[in-house]
Amino acid sequence: PGAAVMRAERAAVLAAAGGLAAMLALRIASPERYAALMRRLGLAAPTYDDMARDIVRNAYAATAKGSRSCCVVPSSAKQSSLSYSAAERAIGEATGSDLGLGCGNPIGLAQLQPGESVIDLGSGPGLDCLLAAAAVGPTGRVCGVDMTQEMITKARKAARKAGAANVEFLKGTLEALPLPDGWGDVVVSNCVVNLSPDKASVAREAFRVLKPGGRVAIADVVKTNELPESLLTAQALAC
């Protein structure tokens, strides 16, 4: 009942405020007006983290279904900078697991060994998990975690096409990984941690699910200067 009430409340807020993107933009631009709107509606305001996750989730769900996201460019346009080999790109093309969403090749950084257990944070359509599965072999295992059901579905289909029996995909957030302590030898991630509104929790969870002496290989973007106003929008957040 509580969850149903929360969904009903959120639907009412969306109808009144013009959608999650409009709500987040209002919260960023004027926290006072945002709070006043929530009070006027008589509702508990969704948190910034919840709104941010919903915007990212919706954007990537649309991408998984074939709609072009604001931040997605064809993988062929980024091949030279991603450091994937021709053979690796061919796997992505054959299985439909490469949507051009990454910004590097964490599997190349990870130096995976046969028999290791690998966790991919924000596994998307599954290319890095398939590459990891091949690297660790049948005695190893790979788990991809993603919060978008459409990406999970697409990744599972790709794994079946590739015949990768040592891969599984679980739905969950990076801030609360659905895995036990000490599950893996290696944590990898490809341009996803930057999308989290709570990066400290992501780091804590990565440490928790790693075995003692485990390692991390992340390809991502890092802010070194203040962002311009053009990037402080809900659309830019989803990218």
Side-chain angles (χ1 to χ4, degrees), residues 26-140:
L26 177 62
R27 189 190 186 284
I28 293 171
S30 177
E32 297 80 8
R33 288 179 59 193
Y34 170 79
L37 172 63
M38 295 300 104
R39 288 194 298 270
R40 203 157 56 243
L41 292 170
L43 299 173
T47 67
Y48 175 90
D49 287 7
D50 287 340
M51 288 190 292
R53 287 191 190 95
D54 281 347
I55 288 170
V56 171
R57 183 184 291 111
N58 292 341
Y60 281 86
T63 300
K65 292 177 181 177
S67 299
R68 190 184 178 95
S69 167
C70 62
C71 56
V72 177
V73 299
S75 59
S76 58
K78 300 196 294 185
Q79 286 174 358
S80 60
S81 62
L82 289 179
S83 300
Y84 286 116
S85 68
E88 290 170 333
R89 294 196 299 269
I91 292 172
E93 183 176 350
T95 59
S97 60
D98 183 10
L99 297 181
L101 300 173
C103 57
N105 181 359
I107 306 306
L109 299 173
Q111 298 183 336
L112 300 176
Q113 301 299 315
E116 288 190 315
S117 297
V118 183
I119 304 159
D120 185 2
L121 306 184
S123 48
L127 175 59
D128 290 328
C129 284
L130 298 185
L131 299 180
V136 300
T139 59

